[in-house]
Amino acid sequence: GTSDVSEYVGLQIIAIAKNMTMNMEEDELVRAREPMMTSVEQSLRSNGYWLNSVMRQSQAKPWKLDWARDMKEDFASITLDELQELAAAYLKPDNAIRMEIHPIDAGDKE
């Protein structure tokens, strides 16, 4: 039933987190980074990104201009060691919070 699927998914998420702390390879990082870098490059070429995300708040948050200028290099500079260190620090099974959201049956309307 639903609880079996939920339990299975929860265990798989914990296994993925454990794998990230122990077994991640450089080629996995490269494959994960490529679509993200493509997205970043498309954003940087988009007037909408510059107008709506950067310039719109640049008066109140001037650091957004620097962040936008450095974003491509920042993403490209992420290393496997950094990711594994972060995964080991934050993706611990004992820190996990599991939530299940179930729809209300149509007959249970209040």
Side-chain angles (χ1 to χ4, degrees):
T2 303
S3 63
D4 292 337
V5 171
S6 178
E7 184 66 24
Y8 174 77
V9 169
L11 291 173
Q12 292 304 308
I13 290 169
I14 290 171
I16 290 167
K18 184 177 181 182
N19 185 46
M20 287 182 70
T21 63
M22 299 169 44
N23 301 323
M24 189 184 293
E25 300 287 334
E26 187 70 33
D27 72 305
E28 291 174 297
L29 174 59
V30 170
R31 286 183 288 141
R33 183 186 292 145
E34 285 179 12
M36 187 172 33
M37 293 302 296
T38 300
S39 177
V40 166
E41 290 169 2
Q42 288 172 344
S43 291
L44 292 173
R45 288 193 304 262
S46 165
N47 286 337
Y49 167 75
W50 286 99
L51 290 172
N52 297 320
S53 296
V54 180
M55 301 307 289
R56 171 185 253 170
Q57 299 176 351
S58 64
Q59 188 106 13
K61 300 175 182 177
W63 53 266
K64 282 193 151 219
L65 287 169
D66 292 330
W67 187 79
R69 284 187 206 112
D70 298 337
M71 182 171 44
K72 184 176 175 181
E73 291 78 19
D74 288 345
F75 276 107
S77 70
I78 296 170
T79 67
L80 184 60
D81 289 339
E82 289 171 329
L83 284 180
Q84 287 176 323
E85 184 179 326
L86 287 169
Y90 296 105
L91 300 178
K92 297 178 183 179
D94 55 331
N95 288 342
I97 297 174
R98 289 190 50 196
M99 294 186 338
E100 293 183 33
I101 300 172
H102 299 275
I104 298 174
D105 289 335
D108 292 344
K109 288 184 180 180
E110 294 181 26

mmCIF file of all heavy atoms in Angstrom, residues 38-58:
data_model
loop_
_atom_site.group_PDB
_atom_site.id
_atom_site.type_symbol
_atom_site.label_atom_id
_atom_site.label_comp_id
_atom_site.label_asym_id
_atom_site.label_seq_id
_atom_site.Cartn_x
_atom_site.Cartn_y
_atom_site.Cartn_z
ATOM 1 N N THR A 38 24.637 24.832 -18.161
ATOM 2 C CA THR A 38 23.858 25.262 -19.321
ATOM 3 C C THR A 38 22.758 26.216 -18.881
ATOM 4 O O THR A 38 22.537 27.265 -19.503
ATOM 5 C CB THR A 38 23.252 24.044 -20.049
ATOM 6 O OG1 THR A 38 24.323 23.203 -20.488
ATOM 7 C CG2 THR A 38 22.400 24.461 -21.232
ATOM 8 N N SER A 39 22.087 25.872 -17.790
ATOM 9 C CA SER A 39 21.028 26.731 -17.269
ATOM 10 C C SER A 39 21.567 28.087 -16.815
ATOM 11 O O SER A 39 20.963 29.131 -17.075
ATOM 12 C CB SER A 39 20.323 26.027 -16.108
ATOM 13 O OG SER A 39 19.339 26.848 -15.549
ATOM 14 N N VAL A 40 22.708 28.074 -16.148
ATOM 15 C CA VAL A 40 23.333 29.325 -15.692
ATOM 16 C C VAL A 40 23.695 30.188 -16.892
ATOM 17 O O VAL A 40 23.418 31.397 -16.908
ATOM 18 C CB VAL A 40 24.574 29.039 -14.822
ATOM 19 C CG1 VAL A 40 25.424 30.281 -14.623
ATOM 20 C CG2 VAL A 40 24.161 28.452 -13.478
ATOM 21 N N GLU A 41 24.299 29.583 -17.915
ATOM 22 C CA GLU A 41 24.681 30.340 -19.110
ATOM 23 C C GLU A 41 23.469 30.929 -19.815
ATOM 24 O O GLU A 41 23.510 32.075 -20.277
ATOM 25 C CB GLU A 41 25.485 29.445 -20.051
ATOM 26 C CG GLU A 41 26.864 29.121 -19.516
ATOM 27 C CD GLU A 41 27.586 28.033 -20.292
ATOM 28 O OE1 GLU A 41 27.033 27.540 -21.299
ATOM 29 O OE2 GLU A 41 28.694 27.663 -19.872
ATOM 30 N N GLN A 42 22.371 30.159 -19.877
ATOM 31 C CA GLN A 42 21.151 30.681 -20.496
ATOM 32 C C GLN A 42 20.598 31.846 -19.688
ATOM 33 O O GLN A 42 20.152 32.840 -20.255
ATOM 34 C CB GLN A 42 20.107 29.573 -20.619
ATOM 35 C CG GLN A 42 20.449 28.551 -21.680
ATOM 36 C CD GLN A 42 19.505 27.361 -21.665
ATOM 37 O OE1 GLN A 42 18.779 27.134 -20.711
ATOM 38 N NE2 GLN A 42 19.539 26.585 -22.739
ATOM 39 N N SER A 43 20.627 31.739 -18.372
ATOM 40 C CA SER A 43 20.150 32.823 -17.517
ATOM 41 C C SER A 43 20.969 34.084 -17.733
ATOM 42 O O SER A 43 20.415 35.186 -17.839
ATOM 43 C CB SER A 43 20.216 32.426 -16.043
ATOM 44 O OG SER A 43 19.285 31.434 -15.754
ATOM 45 N N LEU A 44 22.286 33.927 -17.795
ATOM 46 C CA LEU A 44 23.158 35.084 -17.950
ATOM 47 C C LEU A 44 22.972 35.790 -19.292
ATOM 48 O O LEU A 44 23.278 36.970 -19.413
ATOM 49 C CB LEU A 44 24.623 34.672 -17.761
ATOM 50 C CG LEU A 44 25.002 34.257 -16.341
ATOM 51 C CD1 LEU A 44 26.423 33.709 -16.305
ATOM 52 C CD2 LEU A 44 24.838 35.414 -15.370
ATOM 53 N N ARG A 45 22.446 35.074 -20.277
ATOM 54 C CA ARG A 45 22.178 35.679 -21.590
ATOM 55 C C ARG A 45 20.756 36.225 -21.695
ATOM 56 O O ARG A 45 20.399 36.808 -22.710
ATOM 57 C CB ARG A 45 22.412 34.644 -22.690
ATOM 58 C CG ARG A 45 23.875 34.318 -22.917
ATOM 59 C CD ARG A 45 24.075 33.537 -24.203
ATOM 60 N NE ARG A 45 23.293 32.321 -24.283
ATOM 61 C CZ ARG A 45 23.740 31.099 -24.003
ATOM 62 N NH1 ARG A 45 24.977 30.927 -23.623
ATOM 63 N NH2 ARG A 45 22.955 30.049 -24.118
ATOM 64 N N SER A 46 19.968 36.029 -20.653
ATOM 65 C CA SER A 46 18.562 36.410 -20.696
ATOM 66 C C SER A 46 18.325 37.790 -20.094
ATOM 67 O O SER A 46 18.716 38.062 -18.960
ATOM 68 C CB SER A 46 17.736 35.370 -19.927
ATOM 69 O OG SER A 46 16.457 35.855 -19.647
ATOM 70 N N ASN A 47 17.671 38.641 -20.847
ATOM 71 C CA ASN A 47 17.305 39.954 -20.312
ATOM 72 C C ASN A 47 16.383 39.810 -19.110
ATOM 73 O O ASN A 47 16.472 40.579 -18.154
ATOM 74 C CB ASN A 47 16.610 40.799 -21.387
ATOM 75 C CG ASN A 47 17.578 41.316 -22.418
ATOM 76 O OD1 ASN A 47 18.779 41.427 -22.168
ATOM 77 N ND2 ASN A 47 17.057 41.623 -23.592
ATOM 78 N N GLY A 48 15.502 38.823 -19.160
ATOM 79 C CA GLY A 48 14.578 38.606 -18.054
ATOM 80 C C GLY A 48 15.299 38.322 -16.755
ATOM 81 O O GLY A 48 14.903 38.813 -15.691
ATOM 82 N N TYR A 49 16.353 37.524 -16.810
ATOM 83 C CA TYR A 49 17.134 37.227 -15.598
ATOM 84 C C TYR A 49 17.743 38.508 -15.044
ATOM 85 O O TYR A 49 17.625 38.806 -13.857
ATOM 86 C CB TYR A 49 18.226 36.198 -15.902
ATOM 87 C CG TYR A 49 19.238 36.095 -14.789
ATOM 88 C CD1 TYR A 49 18.916 35.446 -13.616
ATOM 89 C CD2 TYR A 49 20.495 36.680 -14.899
ATOM 90 C CE1 TYR A 49 19.832 35.374 -12.573
ATOM 91 C CE2 TYR A 49 21.408 36.610 -13.871
ATOM 92 C CZ TYR A 49 21.073 35.961 -12.711
ATOM 93 O OH TYR A 49 21.970 35.894 -11.674
ATOM 94 N N TRP A 50 18.395 39.271 -15.907
ATOM 95 C CA TRP A 50 19.073 40.486 -15.442
ATOM 96 C C TRP A 50 18.068 41.513 -14.917
ATOM 97 O O TRP A 50 18.296 42.137 -13.877
ATOM 98 C CB TRP A 50 19.924 41.090 -16.562
ATOM 99 C CG TRP A 50 21.155 40.283 -16.779
ATOM 100 C CD1 TRP A 50 21.366 39.337 -17.742
ATOM 101 C CD2 TRP A 50 22.344 40.317 -15.987
ATOM 102 N NE1 TRP A 50 22.605 38.777 -17.595
ATOM 103 C CE2 TRP A 50 23.243 39.365 -16.531
ATOM 104 C CE3 TRP A 50 22.751 41.053 -14.881
ATOM 105 C CZ2 TRP A 50 24.503 39.133 -16.003
ATOM 106 C CZ3 TRP A 50 24.016 40.827 -14.354
ATOM 107 C CH2 TRP A 50 24.880 39.879 -14.917
ATOM 108 N N LEU A 51 16.946 41.668 -15.603
ATOM 109 C CA LEU A 51 15.963 42.660 -15.173
ATOM 110 C C LEU A 51 15.191 42.219 -13.927
ATOM 111 O O LEU A 51 15.011 42.999 -12.990
ATOM 112 C CB LEU A 51 14.979 42.962 -16.305
ATOM 113 C CG LEU A 51 15.546 43.731 -17.479
ATOM 114 C CD1 LEU A 51 14.531 43.792 -18.612
ATOM 115 C CD2 LEU A 51 15.964 45.133 -17.056
ATOM 116 N N ASN A 52 14.731 40.969 -13.906
ATOM 117 C CA ASN A 52 13.861 40.513 -12.823
ATOM 118 C C ASN A 52 14.598 39.974 -11.606
ATOM 119 O O ASN A 52 14.091 40.068 -10.486
ATOM 120 C CB ASN A 52 12.893 39.451 -13.336
ATOM 121 C CG ASN A 52 11.968 39.996 -14.386
ATOM 122 O OD1 ASN A 52 11.483 41.114 -14.277
ATOM 123 N ND2 ASN A 52 11.724 39.232 -15.432
ATOM 124 N N SER A 53 15.768 39.402 -11.795
ATOM 125 C CA SER A 53 16.471 38.803 -10.665
ATOM 126 C C SER A 53 17.613 39.656 -10.142
ATOM 127 O O SER A 53 17.888 39.653 -8.952
ATOM 128 C CB SER A 53 17.034 37.436 -11.059
ATOM 129 O OG SER A 53 15.991 36.557 -11.351
ATOM 130 N N VAL A 54 18.281 40.357 -11.012
ATOM 131 C CA VAL A 54 19.476 41.099 -10.595
ATOM 132 C C VAL A 54 19.168 42.581 -10.408
ATOM 133 O O VAL A 54 19.279 43.117 -9.306
ATOM 134 C CB VAL A 54 20.625 40.910 -11.608
ATOM 135 C CG1 VAL A 54 21.856 41.685 -11.174
ATOM 136 C CG2 VAL A 54 20.956 39.433 -11.769
ATOM 137 N N MET A 55 18.789 43.247 -11.465
ATOM 138 C CA MET A 55 18.621 44.704 -11.419
ATOM 139 C C MET A 55 17.459 45.145 -10.536
ATOM 140 O O MET A 55 17.538 46.180 -9.885
ATOM 141 C CB MET A 55 18.428 45.258 -12.830
ATOM 142 C CG MET A 55 19.593 44.961 -13.758
ATOM 143 S SD MET A 55 21.201 45.481 -13.108
ATOM 144 C CE MET A 55 21.025 47.242 -13.241
ATOM 145 N N ARG A 56 16.409 44.354 -10.501
ATOM 146 C CA ARG A 56 15.221 44.725 -9.742
ATOM 147 C C ARG A 56 15.547 45.002 -8.274
ATOM 148 O O ARG A 56 14.987 45.898 -7.674
ATOM 149 C CB ARG A 56 14.178 43.624 -9.847
ATOM 150 C CG ARG A 56 13.004 43.830 -8.933
ATOM 151 C CD ARG A 56 12.080 42.668 -8.983
ATOM 152 N NE ARG A 56 10.894 43.088 -9.716
ATOM 153 C CZ ARG A 56 9.938 42.278 -10.114
ATOM 154 N NH1 ARG A 56 10.044 41.002 -9.898
ATOM 155 N NH2 ARG A 56 8.897 42.737 -10.727
ATOM 156 N N GLN A 57 16.454 44.256 -7.695
ATOM 157 C CA GLN A 57 16.765 44.410 -6.274
ATOM 158 C C GLN A 57 18.176 44.919 -6.029
ATOM 159 O O GLN A 57 18.647 44.929 -4.902
ATOM 160 C CB GLN A 57 16.574 43.073 -5.564
ATOM 161 C CG GLN A 57 15.163 42.559 -5.650
ATOM 162 C CD GLN A 57 15.030 41.179 -5.027
ATOM 163 O OE1 GLN A 57 16.002 40.546 -4.684
ATOM 164 N NE2 GLN A 57 13.802 40.718 -4.892
ATOM 165 N N SER A 58 18.853 45.354 -7.065
ATOM 166 C CA SER A 58 20.256 45.736 -6.918
ATOM 167 C C SER A 58 20.461 46.965 -6.039
ATOM 168 O O SER A 58 21.510 47.110 -5.411
ATOM 169 C CB SER A 58 20.913 45.947 -8.280
ATOM 170 O OG SER A 58 20.307 47.016 -8.956
#
